[in-house]
Amino acid sequence: MASVDLSTREAGSVDEQTWIDVDHYIGDHLDVSDGALDATLSGSRAAGLPEIAVSPPQGKLLMLLAASIGARTVLEIGTLGGYSTIWLARALPSNGHLITCEYSGEHALVARKNLDGAGVGGLVDIRIGAALDTLPTLTGPFDFTFVDADKENNANYFRWAVQLSRPGSLIVIDNTVRGGAVADSSATDPATQGTRALYETVRDDPRVAATAIQTVGSKGYDGFLLARVLDVRS
Ligand code: SAH
Ligand code: DHB
Ligand code: MG
């Protein structure tokens, strides 16, 4: 891109192309892609899956967070083609385990191929079905949970994630800013309402310490919520 002094610019005057350019700049310097990850994205696209996986820098953030707490067990809600799953599985030791919940059998098939291609298939168990049916069948604790499925259920997924955690577990929930719509109390779309219900649930839950971070990048303006579980008793 053209050389401009962005340091003095108002954030609001930086356009989406700049966010994309910076994601590419980050990718050029910080190892956020490789053959297996690229094949996962291209294979998912070829299979007709929506292009809504986490961005490469965010995928690596998930891996770094899970690795930083020495996670051995990971729970994911929303597999898609397994892109975020691969990042998370890479944080695990060879005897670690990741369970990922996916509604679509078609997505799960694509993900299985991608996970096996990335060499992490043996660590990952894909559970097909509505996550709210799968979650009651799981035995925790999970050290790290990533929630990235139907946003309408985010408050329910959060409650399940806490219940399946141990003190010190981390929970990351994707897409919690939604282009800023989260701050609009008159928003009527179910995904935004589900996200606002999530914030209220987290606010009222003394078992976690939480924050949320706004992000820009190749996926536009969004963000994620991070919660550290302090206590798991309800
Ligand atoms: N985490 C993935 C992206 C997930 S996209 C990544 O970053 O690579 C959201 C996924 O959630 C889709 O595959 C969708 O089929 C799945 N999903 C939607 N509703 C669901 C439900 N009720 N239970 C489980 N998965 C669901
Ligand atoms: C959508 C879902 C996601 O998980 C995401 O990261 C981006 C978009 C969507 O449903 O449009
Ligand atoms: Mg997402």
Side-chain angles (χ1 to χ4, degrees):
M1 63 176 277
S3 170
V4 287
D5 180 9
L6 293 171
S7 62
T8 56
R9 279 204 192 176
E10 299 286 330
S13 72
V14 178
D15 61 16
E16 291 206 49
Q17 188 56 51
T18 306
W19 306 343
I20 294 166
D21 292 341
V22 172
D23 259 0
H24 287 143
Y25 178 84
I26 292 167
D28 286 344
H29 291 78
L30 299 181
D31 262 346
V32 297
S33 64
D34 57 35
L37 291 165
D38 291 346
T40 291
L41 293 176
S42 57
S44 300
R45 193 181 311 120
L49 270 50
E51 294 183 44
I52 55 174
V54 295
S55 70
Q58 192 187 348
K60 191 165 182 180
L61 175 65
L62 294 173
M63 185 271 280
L64 292 171
L65 287 171
S68 295
I69 60 165
R72 294 177 167 275
T73 53
V74 171
L75 171 63
E76 178 177 66
I77 303 175
T79 317
L80 192 65
Y83 180 80
S84 55
T85 321
I86 291 169
W87 275 116
L88 286 165
R90 287 179 176 179
L92 292 172
S94 56
N95 64 348
H97 192 55
L98 188 158
I99 294 179
T100 183
C101 303
E102 173 53 52
Y103 182 78
S104 160
E106 189 192 332
H107 293 183
L109 270 178
V110 175
R112 174 48 63 195
K113 185 164 171 270
N114 288 330
L115 290 160
D116 291 345
V120 295
L123 299 174
V124 179
D125 185 359
I126 307 177
R127 301 288 174 91
I128 300 169
L132 286 178
D133 292 334
T134 302
L135 290 163
T137 72
L138 300 182
T139 306
F142 294 93
D143 301 316
F144 188 98
T145 299
F146 179 50
V147 178
D148 191 21
D150 49 323
K151 313 309 175 192
E152 294 83 341
N153 277 314
N154 268 344
N156 291 324
Y157 294 149
F158 169 76
R159 279 188 283 265
W160 272 111
V162 176
Q163 192 165 322
L164 290 167
S165 288
R166 48 132 178 115
S169 291
L170 291 183
I171 301 170
V172 172
I173 306 183
D174 197 25
N175 311 116
T176 55
V177 173
R178 312 198 60 78
V182 70
D184 177 5
S185 59
S186 64
T188 54
D189 82 282
T192 301
Q193 289 184 338
T195 303
R196 289 174 61 84
L198 167 71
Y199 280 87
E200 286 162 25
T201 300
V202 175
R203 176 196 64 198
D204 296 339
D205 196 329
R207 300 172 300 174
V208 299
T211 189
I213 294 295
Q214 305 183 61
T215 58
V216 296
S218 55
K219 292 192 69 186
Y221 170 37
D222 209 328
F224 61 90
L225 187 146
L226 171 69
R228 179 170 194 261
V229 178
L230 309 170
D231 183 357
V232 294
R233 291 164 297 181
S234 44

